[in-house]
Amino acid sequence: LTAAARHGLAVKLHADELTSCGGAELAAEINATSADHLAAVSADGIRSLAGSGTVATLLPGTMSFLGKMKQAPARSLIDAGVPVALATDFNPGTSPTPNLPLIMSFGLSQLRMSAHETFIGATVNGAAALALAGGVGQLAPGFSADLALWDAEDFREIPYWYGDRRCRATWARGKAC
């Protein structure tokens, strides 16, 4: 990890998923771009992340699919000032879903995040977790925009209707998909 960082490579850590083993503290110490999972992060780990600039990427689909009752402490991380991203962890072994709105629903129901926090986690902080926040992740002049048109009267409906397909159209880099 230190060699990668020394050579300018962005470092991401799979940290404290099932047990607290100091992964969050290490991520903060080496200024990792993100610390991912964090379902078992310690209070010391949260304090370390709070001042570091490392994004906490939470993957609630993984814990749900594995049948684990304990999710990452999103509320504690957010309250401590840690930027929290949400992601699917899409893989066939522990999180076989590419459905980000479902993950946002888990953000509401399992992680106790607000609708606003789930959107920040899926957009701005998601981009930051990939070291892309300078050009994607928000609607702003000069940013690349991928857009989705939703059948919803209010943005809070998107994570509320879990598993429902309310997306009616999408555009990626200005082109209809």
Side-chain angles (χ1 to χ4, degrees), residues 37 57-63 65 85-91 94-104 106:
H37 289 283
T57 303
L58 308 185
L59 306 150
T62 300
M63 300 309 281
F65 189 76
L86 290 174
T88 65
D89 197 29
F90 179 48
N91 74 76
T94 60
S95 189
T97 184
N99 188 332
L100 188 57
L102 175 62
I103 299 306
M104 292 169 69
F106 287 161

Side-chain angles (χ1 to χ4, degrees), residues 118-144:
T118 67
F119 272 88
I120 295 296
T123 57
V124 175
N125 289 349
L130 297 170
L132 298 173
V136 300
Q138 59 183 299
L139 295 176
F143 280 63
S144 177

Side-chain angles (χ1 to χ4, degrees), residues 1-2 5 11-16 21-35 38 41-42 44-46 48-49 52 54:
L1 292 172
T2 54
V11 177
K12 300 172 69 63
L13 268 71
H14 184 282
D16 301 331
C21 57
E25 293 90 329
L26 177 61
E29 179 183 326
I30 64 170
N31 199 28
T33 303
S34 70
L38 300 173
V41 66
S42 67
D44 286 340
I46 292 171
S48 295
L49 290 171
S52 72
T54 297

